[in-house]
Each structure stands twice: as C-alpha cells, then as structure tokens.
Amino acid sequence: QVQLVESGGGLVQPGGSLRLSCAASGTIIGTYTMGWYRQAPGKQRELVAQITSGGSTNYADSVKDRFTISMDNAKKIVSLQMNSLNPENSAVYYCHTKPRLFSPSDGYWGQGTQVTVSS
C-alpha cells in the first residue's frame, strides 16, 4: 500500500509562486509515474503535470510555460514549482502515483492541498 502526503498549498498573490511537494510512503516496486492533478469548483479533475521514474515529463498546455515538475526518485518525493500564478490556477491539487506493478488500476491519490490565488 502506498500513501501520498501533499504539502505546500496555501494562499498566494497573483503573479506569485508556490511549490507543492508530495511524499510517497509504502512500497513502490519497479517503474512508476507521479503527477499532480487539480480540481476547481465546477470543473473536472485534470492532469497538471506528470513525471515518470525515468524522468519523462508531461504538462497540461495551460501550465507548460509556468509550472515545473520534478522528482527525487530515491526519496519518492515529487514537487511542482508553480510560477506566475493567476486566480484560474486556484484549485485543490492532488498528488497521484501509478506504479507499474502491484497497484490499483487508478493508482494512489493524496488527500489534496488547496491552492488559492487571490489578492
């Protein structure tokens, strides 16, 4: 079983930056992906950024120029650096991981951390 704990959410001014972190505990065997999803009121949960254990990254088009995902493979910590934030980025951000082996088909989810961009 894998547990994910997010941190770093909070209130930030428009144009500001925030760094989210997610620490995975439990057993992850072999290759895996980790990523960040977000869900704003009235919207579907969407993929923000994803990174594989091999280092490949994938971003939503809306954040490609402003957000950066990174991972410490040894510690199983994934981070999302968010720059130039605007109110449309306000959402609950969820950490997610999908190990290649021995995991549910939908992977594992964190509890979420609130990001609010407001002046």
Side-chain angles (χ1 to χ4, degrees):
Q1 192 74 21
V2 176
Q3 294 81 44
L4 302 173
V5 180
E6 302 102 332
S7 62
L11 177 65
V12 65
Q13 304 266 11
S17 297
L18 208 59
R19 186 175 180 88
L20 306 181
S21 294
C22 172
S25 62
T27 302
I28 297 179
I29 299 175
T31 60
Y32 58 93
T33 63
M34 296 191 76
W36 292 93
Y37 291 72
R38 68 186 177 194
Q39 188 165 23
K43 294 185 177 181
Q44 293 265 45
R45 185 175 298 188
E46 64 173 342
L47 176 67
V48 178
Q50 187 176 40
I51 188 168
T52 71
S53 51
S56 298
T57 58
N58 183 34
Y59 296 91
D61 288 342
S62 62
V63 308
K64 278 183 177 177
D65 57 337
R66 298 180 294 119
F67 291 10
T68 303
I69 190 168
S70 60
M71 180 162 58
D72 181 331
N73 292 52
K75 296 182 178 181
K76 300 295 189 295
I77 298 175
V78 64
S79 297
L80 184 68
Q81 178 67 43
M82 304 185 292
N83 298 326
S84 301
L85 288 163
N86 61 69
E88 292 186 350
N89 300 138
S90 295
V92 177
Y93 284 70
Y94 297 90
C95 183
H96 173 264
T97 186
K98 178 63 177 74
R100 170 67 175 82
L101 302 173
F102 310 119
S103 68
S105 60
D106 60 345
Y108 302 95
W109 293 90
Q111 293 296 114
T113 185
Q114 178 71 50
V115 172
T116 302
V117 185
S118 176
S119 58

